[in-house]
Amino acid sequence: MAYEKEKEIAIAAVQAAATVCEKVRAEMVPEAIEKSDKSPVTVADFGAQAIVCKMIKDAFPNDPIVGEEDADDLKTPEMASRLAQVTNYVKVVLPDATDEQIPGWIDQGNGDVSPRYWTLDPIDGTKGFLRGDQYAVALAMVEDGDIKVGVLGCPALKLGDRSGILFVAIRGGGAMMMNMDGSNPEKISVTSSSDIPNFRFVESVAHGDQDLHARIAQAAGITTDSIRMDSQAKYGAVASGNAVLYLRLPSAKYPNYREKIWDHAAGVLVIEEAGGKVTDMHGKTLDFSKEPRFVDTQGVIVSNGEIHDKVLAALAN
Ligand SMILES: Nc1ncnc2c1ncn2[C@@H]1O[C@H](COP(=O)(O)OS(=O)(=O)O)[C@@H](OP(=O)(O)O)[C@H]1O
Ligand SMILES: [Mg+2]
Ligand SMILES: [Mg+2]
Ligand SMILES: [Mg+2]
């Protein structure tokens, strides 16, 4: 099948990063460092980005990686002990790693959107990670603006009998979910709107306009309360048929916020390969060919496909 090597390396990289994130959460009270935009980053975000970039670059040296984090906050002398913590955790999966190498590995994620590139969110839902809730390691490969490979590691996600779920999709090859170690793989697809118990919607814990979400969901016929969940685990919930809709509409508090490619790329492919649909709030497809942030689109609507037009119509009113 196409992209076999990309898939294999992407799965291994996400598994390695997720192992380290779980270890950080189990062993230390992960402390948030505040970034310039006031959002949090932790030792685990840095470690996960270092691991994934190193593994992707070893296998595909010419592919740029567009990652969320950079190593600036680890390079100053005052941050030496923080860097040492990152190195110690990276060593769990890459035993030869050194303090000298780690910033360079992280900064391999400073690549540009290109004809072929990878995009990485080492921890999507850092706030959920810090709270002990959901987070995801999200990695995708994009060619000519088309997402070809998407891997979403959700170590804390429980669905049915599963605990810790890896979602994997290849363009044209369908979407799968499996345990974090790759065992027990299963093809997934979105559910129909007549599946009453799953006719519900997911939204962020904090982001987005939750009042508007509730109104739009109601207009689309959803009468139950939302499930609030951090990270791209929300894409996994819809792709596996545990919900029919994920709403992410811009909040009036942040009118200039633009969504980032790494917050969506892996999730979008998982949804599309599971038979669902993703657009912005006006029905436009998300453009992965230009910049790390979506300049021309706002908001994200993720659905089982069936109810997509109804949601867009409700938004247009
Ligand atoms: N104002 C605003 N609006 C929309 N999105 C924003 C906003 N600010 C930040 N972000 C991005 O939200 C990512 C986390 O999304 P979640 O769905 O997990 O949010 S929540 O924690 O459940 O509220 C988060 O990703 P991570 O930084 O990887 O956690 C951010 O990229
Ligand atoms: Mg962040
Ligand atoms: Mg994110
Ligand atoms: Mg992140």
Side-chain angles (χ1 to χ4, degrees):
M1 213 179 98
Y3 303 111
E4 222 21 77
K5 183 178 174 197
E6 285 82 354
K7 172 182 156 187
E8 192 186 306
I9 302 287
I11 290 175
V14 169
Q15 286 171 327
T19 297
V20 164
C21 294
E22 285 295 274
K23 202 167 163 64
V24 169
R25 220 161 52 160
E27 287 183 357
M28 66 192 283
V29 181
E31 189 193 334
I33 308 159
E34 197 170 83
K35 296 201 280 187
S36 53
D37 66 356
K38 306 261 184 248
S39 69
V41 62
T42 72
V43 162
D45 298 67
F46 289 126
Q49 179 150 328
I51 291 160
V52 175
C53 289
K54 161 77 175 146
M55 291 175 71
I56 295 292
K57 280 286 183 184
D58 276 356
F60 306 103
N62 299 324
D63 287 358
I65 305 169
V66 183
E68 180 186 356
E69 310 301 346
D70 65 59
D72 289 354
D73 288 339
L74 291 177
K75 286 174 184 164
T76 56
E78 310 83 73
M79 287 298 167
S81 65
R82 180 108 54 195
L83 174 59
Q85 282 178 320
V86 175
T87 308
N88 277 333
Y89 278 106
V90 170
K91 278 179 160 175
V92 171
V93 291
L94 300 172
D96 298 330
T98 64
D99 284 351
E100 289 68 41
Q101 291 171 317
I102 296 291
W105 291 357
I106 293 170
D107 282 341
Q108 282 178 324
N110 293 343
D112 294 323
V113 171
S114 306
R116 171 176 155 127
Y117 71 96
W118 295 79
T119 186
L120 167 69
D121 196 336
I123 294 191
D124 182 38
T126 303
K127 288 180 182 162
F129 178 76
L130 285 161
R131 220 191 293 116
D133 289 332
Q134 292 306 321
Y135 69 98
V137 179
L139 176 65
M141 195 277 282
V142 182
E143 266 180 4
D144 299 323
D146 193 38
I147 313 157
K148 300 297 190 189
V149 178
V151 177
L152 263 187
C154 304
L157 186 61
K158 292 186 170 64
L159 293 175
D161 294 337
R162 290 182 192 273
S163 181
I165 301 179
L166 191 65
F167 296 93
V168 179
I170 306 295
R171 178 70 72 195
M176 311 282 292
M177 70 176 174
M178 54 198 78
N179 297 336
M180 281 304 298
D181 64 4
S183 62
N184 202 12
E186 173 189 346
K187 196 168 160 45
I188 52 171
S189 55
V190 294
T191 194
S192 123
S193 300
S194 58
D195 173 6
I196 304 302
N198 292 310
F199 194 64
R200 52 189 181 180
F201 80 107
V202 286
E203 63 183 339
S204 292
V205 173
H207 293 308
D209 184 335
Q210 302 196 334
D211 292 337
L212 181 58
H213 293 172
R215 285 206 302 280
I216 298 301
Q218 207 159 34
I222 296 174
T223 51
T224 49
D225 284 343
S226 72
I227 302 170
R228 290 192 179 155
M229 198 186 271
D230 300 277
S231 85
Q232 284 173 70
K234 293 186 278 294
Y235 277 98
V238 177
S240 59
N242 286 277
V244 291
L245 181 65
Y246 161 22
L247 290 173
R248 191 179 184 90
L249 299 168
S251 123
K253 265 196 290 180
Y254 306 101
N256 297 322
Y257 185 79
R258 289 294 179 278
E259 296 288 338
K260 309 288 178 13
I261 56 173
W262 52 74
D263 284 326
H264 299 283
V268 168
L269 188 60
V270 170
I271 280 286
E272 290 180 346
E273 287 298 321
K277 187 165 177 169
V278 183
T279 67
D280 84 337
M281 63 190 291
H282 304 296
K284 270 170 85 173
T285 52
L286 305 182
D287 185 352
F288 290 91
S289 74
K290 287 203 179 71
E291 285 187 44
R293 51 207 286 279
F294 297 115
V295 273
D296 300 328
T297 51
Q298 251 195 309
V300 181
I301 313 289
V302 179
S303 82
N304 67 346
E306 228 179 314
I307 61 163
H308 210 90
D309 287 345
K310 221 173 177 176
V311 172
L312 290 174
L315 271 164
N317 282 328

